[in-house]
Amino acid sequence: MLAEVWHAVPEPLRDPVAFAVPFFVLLVSLEALAAHLLEDEEPAPAAPGGRTRPPRGGYERRDALASIGAGAVSVLTMSVWKGLGLVVFTVLFAYVAPWQLPADAWWTWAIAILGVDFTFYWAHRVAHRVRLVWATHQAHHSSEYYNFATALRQKWNNAHELVFWAPLPLLGLPPALVFFGFSVSLVYQFFVHTERVDRLWRPVELVFNTPSHHRVHHGSDPEYLDRNYGGILIVWDRLFGTFTPERHRPTYGLTVPVGSTNLLHIQTHEYAAIVRDVRRAPTLRDKLGYVFGPPGWRPVTAALAETPTSA
């Protein structure tokens, strides 16, 4: 039944993301209008450390346009990566998988969505803990605003996610359903990028990723860093020890603000920083640390040199 309904939909609309685009545009427009009509004239209180931050639910034209532009380009780049992944996944599914799950069974679709969500958690966690991968993911965190437009500020390189999805066709999931599950995850996560929604019903907050949980993930505050990686479900964070509840309004953006709305700079500045650090590193060990260590990693000698001595 599901397969019949799916094939009855025109080909361009079979990707849930393509189907959802008009709703994304509508909701960004409505939220921006609300920000214009409801925004406080008084500036928001400064974040800890004196860093300024925008009003709750605020919009800034250049920032929003940068987010929308990044999303538009990501549609093209992601299509290329997904096309390459589809070739590899089809080979794994057809020639390596010990069995093949039926594409027309509802439970195969459910397994695909759940499996993608589980692998997304680990891919997302790696993206925050390996600097080379963080270099592409950081673009999504670069805005100091938190709104529906920020949800569209997507990375242009999702190659590492393909590696984490590879076990799914190996376990017999049809490749098309793997990509369908990822699209469902992307659509769901659009709706958690807002400050207009407070906490939801407690059972929902217990199981699902919500605006409150994801606001924590976008916070640059020390207590919020590298927390709440979940896509659709927050249970993975609860199970694997990375969950933190929202205790105060986060300070959004990177720990060191990118300071630009230039699309190319937003997407590439961390790669440039890695190149500079690697060139300066005196040993191979240090060079590898700058590439594969966590963001902010420094050699022990450099870290000690940066630590102020007591008087």
Side-chain angles (χ1 to χ4, degrees):
M1 180 61 180
L2 281 173
E4 292 175 2
V5 172
W6 185 247
H7 288 295
V9 176
E11 182 72 30
L13 297 181
R14 290 183 188 173
D15 184 349
V17 174
F19 180 76
V21 165
F23 298 96
F24 292 167
V25 173
L26 175 63
L27 287 169
V28 168
S29 301
L30 289 175
E31 192 183 42
L33 178 62
H36 175 71
L37 296 176
L38 302 176
E39 185 176 275
D40 296 331
E41 293 189 8
E42 293 294 326
R51 183 170 168 179
T52 58
R53 55 184 174 187
R56 189 181 299 273
Y59 268 74
E60 197 277 323
R61 185 180 63 85
R62 291 174 301 175
D63 179 84
L65 289 176
S67 296
I68 294 168
V73 175
S74 77
V75 172
L76 301 176
T77 58
M78 195 174 295
S79 296
V80 174
W81 287 112
K82 287 170 70 174
L84 295 173
L86 183 61
V87 173
V88 176
F89 289 0
T90 300
V91 171
L92 295 177
F93 175 74
Y95 299 106
V96 183
W99 53 74
Q100 297 176 349
L101 301 180
D104 58 352
W106 69 266
W107 48 267
T108 304
W109 292 56
I111 291 172
I113 294 173
L114 188 65
V116 166
D117 197 55
F118 178 72
T119 54
F120 173 86
Y121 168 85
W122 290 106
H124 198 182
R125 187 166 176 172
V126 166
H128 279 255
R129 302 306 301 156
V130 176
R131 191 182 180 194
L132 182 63
V133 186
W134 169 249
T136 187
H137 182 62
Q138 57 78 33
H140 180 60
H141 286 261
S142 60
S143 175
E144 296 183 39
Y145 290 77
Y146 191 78
N147 48 46
F148 285 141
T150 303
L152 305 178
R153 188 177 288 215
Q154 293 293 319
K155 57 184 174 290
W156 293 352
N157 177 3
N158 68 326
H160 92 284
E161 290 175 330
L162 297 174
V163 176
F164 281 86
W165 298 343
L168 300 178
L170 273 173
L171 293 174
L173 278 170
L177 292 191
V178 175
F179 292 114
F180 171 80
F182 178 65
S183 294
V184 169
S185 178
L186 279 180
V187 172
Y188 179 91
Q189 289 182 65
F190 172 85
F191 295 99
V192 300
H193 289 82
T194 182
E195 291 192 281
R196 296 293 175 187
V197 176
D198 200 2
R199 288 178 175 82
L200 301 177
W201 187 39
R202 286 190 66 182
V204 175
E205 295 279 342
L206 181 67
V207 176
F208 292 96
N209 189 19
T210 65
S212 177
H213 297 329
H214 204 60
R215 286 193 290 267
V216 168
H217 179 71
H218 274 257
S220 60
D221 314 88
E223 64 272 29
Y224 286 166
L225 290 177
D226 303 327
R227 313 301 290 177
N228 298 5
Y229 296 113
I232 297 175
L233 300 177
I234 202 67
V235 293
W236 311 125
D237 290 281
R238 296 185 186 277
L239 285 172
F240 300 116
T242 53
F243 175 74
T244 291
E246 185 180 30
R247 297 189 175 94
H248 59 81
R249 188 188 179 205
T251 305
Y252 302 112
L254 304 174
T255 54
V256 178
V258 66
S260 174
T261 55
N262 179 281
L263 288 184
L264 192 59
H265 181 73
I266 289 171
Q267 294 285 340
T268 62
H269 72 96
E270 184 63 14
Y271 288 114
I274 292 175
V275 171
R276 288 195 299 269
D277 286 339
V278 168
R279 284 177 175 173
R280 289 197 298 258
T283 68
L284 177 61
R285 180 187 180 89
D286 290 349
K287 292 179 187 294
L288 293 175
Y290 279 122
V291 175
F292 299 106
W297 180 90
R298 291 289 182 271
V300 174
T301 52
L304 289 175
E306 293 170 4
T307 303
T309 57
S310 58

PDB file of all heavy atoms in Angstrom, residues 11 71 84 134 169 207 209 233 252 290-291 295:
ATOM      1  N   GLU A  11       7.527  12.286  -9.519  1.00  0.00           N
ATOM      2  CA  GLU A  11       8.925  12.041  -9.169  1.00  0.00           C
ATOM      3  C   GLU A  11       9.583  13.195  -8.409  1.00  0.00           C
ATOM      4  O   GLU A  11      10.242  12.963  -7.395  1.00  0.00           O
ATOM      5  CB  GLU A  11       9.726  11.728 -10.442  1.00  0.00           C
ATOM      6  CG  GLU A  11      11.189  11.400 -10.208  1.00  0.00           C
ATOM      7  CD  GLU A  11      11.392  10.042  -9.560  1.00  0.00           C
ATOM      8  OE1 GLU A  11      10.564   9.149  -9.797  1.00  0.00           O
ATOM      9  OE2 GLU A  11      12.367   9.887  -8.807  1.00  0.00           O
ATOM     10  N   GLY A  71      21.339  27.103   2.316  1.00  0.00           N
ATOM     11  CA  GLY A  71      20.412  25.996   2.105  1.00  0.00           C
ATOM     12  C   GLY A  71      20.168  25.713   0.646  1.00  0.00           C
ATOM     13  O   GLY A  71      20.086  24.542   0.233  1.00  0.00           O
ATOM     14  N   LEU A  84      26.284   9.836  -5.540  1.00  0.00           N
ATOM     15  CA  LEU A  84      27.431   8.938  -5.356  1.00  0.00           C
ATOM     16  C   LEU A  84      27.111   7.846  -4.340  1.00  0.00           C
ATOM     17  O   LEU A  84      27.451   6.669  -4.520  1.00  0.00           O
ATOM     18  CB  LEU A  84      28.653   9.743  -4.906  1.00  0.00           C
ATOM     19  CG  LEU A  84      29.215  10.753  -5.917  1.00  0.00           C
ATOM     20  CD1 LEU A  84      30.310  11.601  -5.261  1.00  0.00           C
ATOM     21  CD2 LEU A  84      29.757  10.028  -7.139  1.00  0.00           C
ATOM     22  N   TRP A 134      34.128  18.660  11.613  1.00  0.00           N
ATOM     23  CA  TRP A 134      33.552  19.884  12.157  1.00  0.00           C
ATOM     24  C   TRP A 134      33.697  21.050  11.183  1.00  0.00           C
ATOM     25  O   TRP A 134      32.844  21.933  11.119  1.00  0.00           O
ATOM     26  CB  TRP A 134      34.220  20.217  13.483  1.00  0.00           C
ATOM     27  CG  TRP A 134      33.909  21.582  14.031  1.00  0.00           C
ATOM     28  CD1 TRP A 134      34.755  22.641  14.141  1.00  0.00           C
ATOM     29  CD2 TRP A 134      32.635  22.042  14.542  1.00  0.00           C
ATOM     30  NE1 TRP A 134      34.109  23.732  14.685  1.00  0.00           N
ATOM     31  CE2 TRP A 134      32.809  23.384  14.938  1.00  0.00           C
ATOM     32  CE3 TRP A 134      31.390  21.441  14.703  1.00  0.00           C
ATOM     33  CZ2 TRP A 134      31.773  24.147  15.491  1.00  0.00           C
ATOM     34  CZ3 TRP A 134      30.358  22.194  15.243  1.00  0.00           C
ATOM     35  CH2 TRP A 134      30.551  23.523  15.631  1.00  0.00           C
ATOM     36  N   PRO A 169      22.142  -0.242   4.159  1.00  0.00           N
ATOM     37  CA  PRO A 169      21.947  -1.145   3.012  1.00  0.00           C
ATOM     38  C   PRO A 169      22.639  -2.491   3.213  1.00  0.00           C
ATOM     39  O   PRO A 169      22.181  -3.514   2.683  1.00  0.00           O
ATOM     40  CB  PRO A 169      22.551  -0.369   1.832  1.00  0.00           C
ATOM     41  CG  PRO A 169      23.440   0.654   2.445  1.00  0.00           C
ATOM     42  CD  PRO A 169      22.827   1.000   3.761  1.00  0.00           C
ATOM     43  N   VAL A 207      11.148  11.853  24.937  1.00  0.00           N
ATOM     44  CA  VAL A 207      11.452  10.933  23.840  1.00  0.00           C
ATOM     45  C   VAL A 207      12.014  11.645  22.607  1.00  0.00           C
ATOM     46  O   VAL A 207      12.955  11.158  21.982  1.00  0.00           O
ATOM     47  CB  VAL A 207      10.193  10.132  23.452  1.00  0.00           C
ATOM     48  CG1 VAL A 207      10.470   9.239  22.241  1.00  0.00           C
ATOM     49  CG2 VAL A 207       9.711   9.297  24.634  1.00  0.00           C
ATOM     50  N   ASN A 209      13.440  14.914  20.078  1.00  0.00           N
ATOM     51  CA  ASN A 209      14.174  16.166  19.992  1.00  0.00           C
ATOM     52  C   ASN A 209      13.154  17.289  19.851  1.00  0.00           C
ATOM     53  O   ASN A 209      12.219  17.188  19.052  1.00  0.00           O
ATOM     54  CB  ASN A 209      15.101  16.141  18.778  1.00  0.00           C
ATOM     55  CG  ASN A 209      16.049  17.314  18.731  1.00  0.00           C
ATOM     56  OD1 ASN A 209      16.284  17.982  19.736  1.00  0.00           O
ATOM     57  ND2 ASN A 209      16.609  17.572  17.558  1.00  0.00           N
ATOM     58  N   LEU A 233      14.863  11.691  17.601  1.00  0.00           N
ATOM     59  CA  LEU A 233      14.727  11.194  18.971  1.00  0.00           C
ATOM     60  C   LEU A 233      15.842  11.732  19.862  1.00  0.00           C
ATOM     61  O   LEU A 233      17.006  11.778  19.448  1.00  0.00           O
ATOM     62  CB  LEU A 233      14.767   9.666  18.990  1.00  0.00           C
ATOM     63  CG  LEU A 233      13.673   8.952  18.187  1.00  0.00           C
ATOM     64  CD1 LEU A 233      13.882   7.438  18.238  1.00  0.00           C
ATOM     65  CD2 LEU A 233      12.283   9.316  18.700  1.00  0.00           C
ATOM     66  N   TYR A 252      23.952  31.730  21.120  1.00  0.00           N
ATOM     67  CA  TYR A 252      24.058  30.978  19.873  1.00  0.00           C
ATOM     68  C   TYR A 252      25.294  31.379  19.085  1.00  0.00           C
ATOM     69  O   TYR A 252      25.861  32.453  19.264  1.00  0.00           O
ATOM     70  CB  TYR A 252      22.796  31.200  19.024  1.00  0.00           C
ATOM     71  CG  TYR A 252      21.532  30.802  19.740  1.00  0.00           C
ATOM     72  CD1 TYR A 252      20.594  31.768  20.124  1.00  0.00           C
ATOM     73  CD2 TYR A 252      21.280  29.480  20.065  1.00  0.00           C
ATOM     74  CE1 TYR A 252      19.435  31.409  20.791  1.00  0.00           C
ATOM     75  CE2 TYR A 252      20.125  29.112  20.728  1.00  0.00           C
ATOM     76  CZ  TYR A 252      19.203  30.072  21.099  1.00  0.00           C
ATOM     77  OH  TYR A 252      18.071  29.722  21.771  1.00  0.00           O
ATOM     78  N   TYR A 290      45.802  18.418  14.809  1.00  0.00           N
ATOM     79  CA  TYR A 290      45.037  19.560  14.321  1.00  0.00           C
ATOM     80  C   TYR A 290      43.945  19.132  13.334  1.00  0.00           C
ATOM     81  O   TYR A 290      42.918  19.799  13.207  1.00  0.00           O
ATOM     82  CB  TYR A 290      45.958  20.566  13.645  1.00  0.00           C
ATOM     83  CG  TYR A 290      46.684  21.483  14.603  1.00  0.00           C
ATOM     84  CD1 TYR A 290      48.082  21.545  14.621  1.00  0.00           C
ATOM     85  CD2 TYR A 290      45.968  22.298  15.487  1.00  0.00           C
ATOM     86  CE1 TYR A 290      48.746  22.398  15.503  1.00  0.00           C
ATOM     87  CE2 TYR A 290      46.637  23.141  16.366  1.00  0.00           C
ATOM     88  CZ  TYR A 290      48.009  23.189  16.369  1.00  0.00           C
ATOM     89  OH  TYR A 290      48.667  24.033  17.246  1.00  0.00           O
ATOM     90  N   VAL A 291      44.165  18.031  12.641  1.00  0.00           N
ATOM     91  CA  VAL A 291      43.195  17.572  11.637  1.00  0.00           C
ATOM     92  C   VAL A 291      42.132  16.673  12.259  1.00  0.00           C
ATOM     93  O   VAL A 291      40.929  16.859  12.027  1.00  0.00           O
ATOM     94  CB  VAL A 291      43.910  16.826  10.493  1.00  0.00           C
ATOM     95  CG1 VAL A 291      42.887  16.250   9.509  1.00  0.00           C
ATOM     96  CG2 VAL A 291      44.873  17.761   9.771  1.00  0.00           C
ATOM     97  N   PRO A 295      37.693  19.991  17.860  1.00  0.00           N
ATOM     98  CA  PRO A 295      37.864  21.434  17.657  1.00  0.00           C
ATOM     99  C   PRO A 295      38.480  22.087  18.896  1.00  0.00           C
ATOM    100  O   PRO A 295      38.115  21.767  20.026  1.00  0.00           O
ATOM    101  CB  PRO A 295      36.424  21.926  17.438  1.00  0.00           C
ATOM    102  CG  PRO A 295      35.693  20.720  16.941  1.00  0.00           C
ATOM    103  CD  PRO A 295      36.311  19.546  17.631  1.00  0.00           C
TER     104      PRO A 295
END
